[in-house]
Amino acid sequence: MQAKDINPPDGGYGWVVVVSAFMVMGLTVAVLKTFGLFFVEIQQHFDGLASTTSWITSVTIAIFHLGAPVASSLCVRYTHRAVVITGGILAFSGMALGFFGLSMVWMYITTGFLQGLGISFSWTPAISIVSHYFSKKRALANAIASAGECAFAFTFGPFFQWLISQYGWKGALLIIGGIQLNICVCGVLMRPLASSCLPKTRHSKTEIPPGNSVSRTEKEDKPPIIHKTFNWMLLRRPEFVLYTIFGILAAMSFFVPPLFLVPLSYSLGIDESWAASLLSILAVVDLAGRLLCGWYANLHVTKTIHLLAMTITLISTSLMLLPQANNYLSLAIFTGFYGFFFGTTVAIHITVLADIVGMSEFDSALGIFMLIRSTGGFVGPPLAGLIVDMAGDYRAGFYMAGATLILSAGFLVTLDQLQQRKERGSQTSTKPEKTTLPYPSLHLLKDQ
């Protein structure tokens, strides 16, 4: 039993967990990514500015990240399964209450705060438990799980557009909330490993007779398990700090293109149905990028951080080119490039975090990383909305996102150089030990 806990299964029931996480990604992040379809409807209903309306998405993203450490802590105390189920109930509540649409502040609280907390309590345990179930195939498993948001976003684009046309944006929110209740079903299927939750560790203590030396070791091992959730000492590690700064800048950019893609297409005179199809194109190429990059990363041909730096550079390039589109065809092509490279990035960025801190600190690192990265997700959409209002053109938001991603790539390069320097330092420190080995044999020759 304990051997099973130490070594991840790398398969078996783990694939059931991957499928459940796949569904959770689709019912949470895919909804967030396609929320741009509601942007113009809500803006017109409340007669607000783009910057004011974008705060709904901004609050959702911020709470999604801020809730991650809390979700990680609750996973240790109450298991991943319980937290995912709670997240499903919160996500439903946010959408169902948003149906009333009392005011813009009401939308901030419901579809912003409650929906964001529901996404956080669902997404964080789902991605965490997949990493616990897999070791050698972790990159591939994470890629398949994260692909859920693409598969769902492909259908959610036209489906949500149809819901809005048939039931209005308020009725569409209520129906989407009901669909999100399926997160609870996915949570039930997430059977935790004993090493992944604290309650099972407590039970293992009672199985060892009192006075046994092993029971003393069990007691000594307990505090690190508790501290894994909030190991703030990680902030003293330069590698983790650099990667967190990268995460902040990336979060400022990632949620801007899906938010303004549909409004940009409207400004170009593209029909609503064709505009919604752009989100479907985005989802298809995103899915292809995740699966392809996950498969390639699993071959261990290229260092994952090098792969991530390359994909970030390609995303920023595609975002700089996307505003040059002046019709549906060119907009669809540039959207496809952006979506593909975005998919490759999402497929491996969690794997890179695990490589930097190690699995012993992964739960803690994931919670802290998401917490700090929330500042980028909170500031990004309103900042882009403000720039759009000042420029009077939705293209300005894409330029802002592309420039921010270029800056974030610089921190990845710095992180890689720091890791290489430490590796060279560790190699040179072992050389004196090797040079001292021949000397005893020389003394023996003299004695002879």
Side-chain angles (χ1 to χ4, degrees):
M1 181 76 176
Q2 289 187 1
K4 183 180 178 182
D5 295 341
I6 295 171
N7 301 316
D10 259 319
Y13 193 81
W15 293 116
V16 177
V17 174
V18 169
V19 172
S20 300
F22 177 92
M23 298 288 291
V24 170
M25 299 300 114
L27 295 170
T28 54
V29 185
V31 173
L32 181 59
K33 288 177 67 174
T34 52
F35 198 78
L37 291 168
F38 293 86
F39 186 89
V40 175
E41 300 288 337
I42 296 175
Q43 183 181 9
Q44 292 177 350
H45 180 82
F46 293 107
D47 193 23
L49 297 172
S51 56
T52 305
T53 310
S54 65
W55 274 105
I56 299 175
T57 303
S58 179
V59 171
T60 307
I61 297 169
I63 299 302
F64 167 34
H65 290 79
L66 288 170
V70 181
S72 297
S73 178
L74 292 175
C75 285
V76 174
R77 188 173 181 83
Y78 298 109
T79 76
H80 297 75
R81 173 185 291 166
V83 180
V84 172
I85 293 173
T86 304
I89 296 172
L90 288 170
F92 161 74
S93 301
M95 286 297 194
L97 292 173
F99 163 79
F100 296 101
L102 301 179
S103 65
M104 190 67 79
V105 175
W106 177 263
M107 301 305 295
Y108 296 158
I109 297 171
T110 56
T111 57
F113 180 83
L114 284 178
Q115 178 69 197
L117 196 62
I119 292 175
S120 182
F121 278 33
S122 305
W123 185 91
T124 307
I127 204 69
S128 175
I129 197 170
V130 168
S131 296
H132 279 288
Y133 262 90
F134 291 86
S135 178
K136 295 179 181 178
K137 301 177 182 177
R138 184 176 297 138
L140 180 61
N142 279 325
I144 294 173
S146 67
E149 67 180 79
C150 313
F152 277 74
F154 173 72
T155 56
F156 278 176
F159 178 57
F160 286 2
Q161 187 67 57
W162 179 81
L163 287 177
I164 293 172
S165 63
Q166 294 295 316
Y167 304 99
W169 66 270
K170 292 184 179 180
L173 288 180
L174 182 61
I175 295 171
I176 293 168
I179 295 172
Q180 286 183 308
L181 278 175
N182 288 287
I183 295 173
C184 300
V185 180
C186 300
V188 172
L189 295 174
M190 291 183 180
R191 185 174 67 201
L193 290 169
S195 60
S196 303
C197 58
L198 188 60
K200 289 188 180 251
T201 308
R202 284 177 178 170
H203 288 308
S204 63
K205 177 188 170 184
T206 58
E207 295 173 3
I208 301 172
N212 195 313
S213 59
V214 181
S215 63
R216 185 180 302 171
T217 307
E218 289 274 341
K219 292 179 181 178
E220 293 174 357
D221 289 341
K222 273 190 175 183
I225 295 175
I226 297 171
H227 293 161
K228 280 180 185 178
T229 311
F230 287 101
N231 184 10
W232 298 105
M233 298 299 290
L234 285 168
L235 294 173
R236 294 189 176 183
R237 294 174 57 174
E239 299 92 337
F240 182 71
V241 172
L242 287 170
Y243 195 71
T244 302
I245 297 173
F246 154 74
I248 294 172
L249 295 172
M252 287 181 64
S253 309
F254 281 166
F255 294 97
V256 171
L259 184 63
F260 293 116
L261 183 60
V262 172
L264 174 63
S265 64
Y266 289 164
S267 68
L268 296 175
I270 298 173
D271 185 71
E272 291 183 359
S273 58
W274 287 103
S277 69
L278 290 174
L279 297 178
S280 297
I281 293 173
L282 186 66
V284 170
V285 293
D286 189 349
L287 174 62
R290 293 181 194 227
L291 296 179
L292 182 61
C293 190
W295 167 79
Y296 180 76
N298 199 59
L299 298 177
H300 303 289
V301 176
T302 306
K303 197 174 178 181
T304 51
I305 192 170
H306 294 168
L307 195 59
L308 181 60
M310 181 175 63
T311 58
I312 287 292
T313 304
L314 291 171
I315 291 178
S316 60
T317 303
S318 61
L319 283 176
M320 291 295 188
L321 294 173
L322 192 146
Q324 304 301 318
N326 54 12
N327 54 48
Y328 175 80
L329 180 60
S330 58
L331 189 60
I333 291 173
F334 288 128
T335 298
F337 280 119
Y338 161 73
F340 180 82
F341 296 128
F342 177 81
T344 58
T345 299
V346 176
I348 58 173
H349 81 288
I350 295 297
T351 304
V352 173
L353 177 62
D355 292 341
I356 292 173
V357 302
M359 277 311 298
S360 61
E361 301 288 353
F362 176 72
D363 284 336
S364 177
L366 180 61
I368 298 172
F369 176 75
M370 294 292 290
L371 173 65
I372 299 176
R373 197 177 74 165
S374 66
T375 56
F378 187 71
V379 172
L383 178 61
L386 179 61
I387 294 173
V388 167
D389 288 335
M390 293 174 62
D393 192 342
Y394 287 108
R395 293 182 177 89
F398 291 90
Y399 288 128
M400 169 261 178
T404 307
L405 277 177
I406 292 175
L407 182 61
S408 72
F411 286 92
L412 285 178
V413 174
T414 306
L415 169 60
D416 179 52
Q417 302 238 335
L418 178 61
Q419 287 182 324
Q420 289 184 13
R421 193 180 304 118
K422 285 192 173 184
E423 288 175 3
R424 287 194 297 266
S426 63
Q427 289 174 358
T428 54
S429 64
T430 58
K431 285 183 179 179
E433 296 178 3
K434 293 181 180 179
T435 55
T436 56
L437 291 175
Y439 290 113
S441 60
L442 291 176
H443 288 298
L444 289 173
L445 289 173
K446 285 182 180 181
D447 292 338
Q448 289 178 355

